[in-house]
Amino acid sequence: SAVISQKPSRDICQRGTSLTIQCQVDSQVTMMFWYRQQPGQSLTLIATANQGSEATYESGFVIDKFPISRPNLTFSTLTVSNMSPEDSSIYLCSGGQPNTEAFFGQGTRLTVV
Amino acid sequence: AQSVSQHNHHVILSEAASLELGCNYSYGGTVNLFWYVQYPGQHLQLLLKYFSGDPLVKGIKGFEAEFIKSKFSFNLRKPSVQWSDTAEYFCAVNGNSGYALNFGKGTSLLVTP
């Protein structure tokens, strides 16, 4: 199993600013993903964080808005850029190995005012 | 398009009642199936998973799910719920050639004493 820690757990940010969320896994994992969970909604995949290369973004998500880094097999960051109230959501990091369960961090609850 | 449907968005049960939450998916090819649970204020946890073999899988806390390939379904069951089962339940699917999970919209379960 893997334990995933996210920081910060919550934040309130002014519109137009940016927030970087950190995700640390306690063991090396092949796959890391970032999801968004908007109020009352399910989890939507933002992107796959690729170690040492650019992330792979899902339709509707772009690198300029959600830049992602993954410098090694245990760490990734997601930045929410130029925030607006519509970005208020829970952002979740996930990691795991192929064809096994995915583990999730506790999420970062972001409120943009 | 790949999709996951959960039929019940809000379920209220009395303690000791039986539970069945529906999940249907639309996917081409072989799939891996999961049920995750999110207790209030906590992160997503895996309840059970199906990759292959016996289509009836047993998970933690007395939960089980049955994979019916012909119906593209993976329904979650528990014979007798407890107040502590109050949580949000998510069905998720990935194809064996892709690792990111596709989540259903979730079912909010409230168990009353």
Side-chain angles (χ1 to χ4, degrees):
Chain A
S1 65
V3 176
I4 299 183
S5 303
Q6 275 183 245
K7 291 194 298 185
S9 59
R10 60 179 62 227
D11 207 342
I12 300 174
C13 300
Q14 297 290 325
R15 67 177 68 199
T17 63
S18 298
L19 175 71
T20 295
I21 303 167
Q22 298 181 3
C23 177
Q24 180 72 55
V25 189
D26 69 344
S27 59
Q28 292 186 346
V29 290
T30 304
M31 315 299 297
M32 289 185 77
F33 306 98
W34 288 96
Y35 291 84
R36 181 173 72 183
Q37 187 177 21
Q38 293 180 302
Q41 303 292 320
S42 185
L43 285 80
T44 300
L45 180 67
I46 297 172
T48 302
N50 300 309
Q51 192 259 327
S53 65
E54 190 173 289
T56 304
Y57 290 84
E58 297 300 302
S59 176
F61 298 96
V62 295
I63 187 171
D64 290 345
K65 177 67 174 177
F66 298 102
I68 289 171
S69 78
R70 189 175 175 197
N72 56 53
L73 292 175
T74 64
F75 186 77
S76 179
T77 67
L78 168 74
T79 298
V80 186
S81 303
N82 188 25
M83 289 183 284
S84 67
E86 291 71 35
D87 295 320
S88 297
S89 187
I90 297 174
Y91 293 86
L92 293 122
C93 173
S94 170
Q97 307 295 3
N99 286 319
T100 65
E101 69 179 278
F103 298 92
F104 287 84
Q106 78 276 23
T108 296
R109 184 179 295 272
L110 170 63
T111 303
V112 183
V113 298
Chain B
Q2 299 169 341
S3 66
V4 181
S5 299
Q6 290 183 239
H7 314 302
N8 317 98
H9 298 300
H10 298 279
V11 174
I12 301 175
L13 294 173
S14 299
E15 277 194 316
S18 64
L19 170 72
E20 180 160 3
L21 301 182
C23 174
N24 285 89
Y25 63 92
S26 171
Y27 253 77
T30 305
V31 295
N32 301 319
L33 299 152
F34 306 83
W35 275 97
Y36 281 85
V37 61
Q38 189 171 31
Y39 298 104
Q42 298 189 26
H43 61 277
L44 279 167
Q45 301 172 37
L46 182 71
L47 270 181
L48 46 79
K49 61 188 178 187
Y50 173 80
F51 289 113
S52 63
D54 188 344
L56 182 63
V57 293
K58 295 190 183 300
I60 61 171
K61 304 185 181 185
F63 286 90
E64 64 177 33
E66 184 175 14
F67 170 51
I68 303 179
K69 189 175 181 180
S70 61
K71 295 184 178 180
F72 299 92
S73 69
F74 190 56
N75 292 354
L76 180 71
R77 299 194 293 253
K78 186 171 184 178
S80 175
V81 295
Q82 301 172 312
W83 175 81
S84 57
D85 293 324
T86 293
E88 190 88 13
Y89 292 81
F90 294 94
C91 181
V93 178
N94 69 1
N96 67 352
S97 61
Y99 309 123
L101 292 171
N102 192 349
F103 283 85
K105 290 188 179 298
T107 297
S108 177
L109 172 65
L110 174 63
V111 180
T112 60

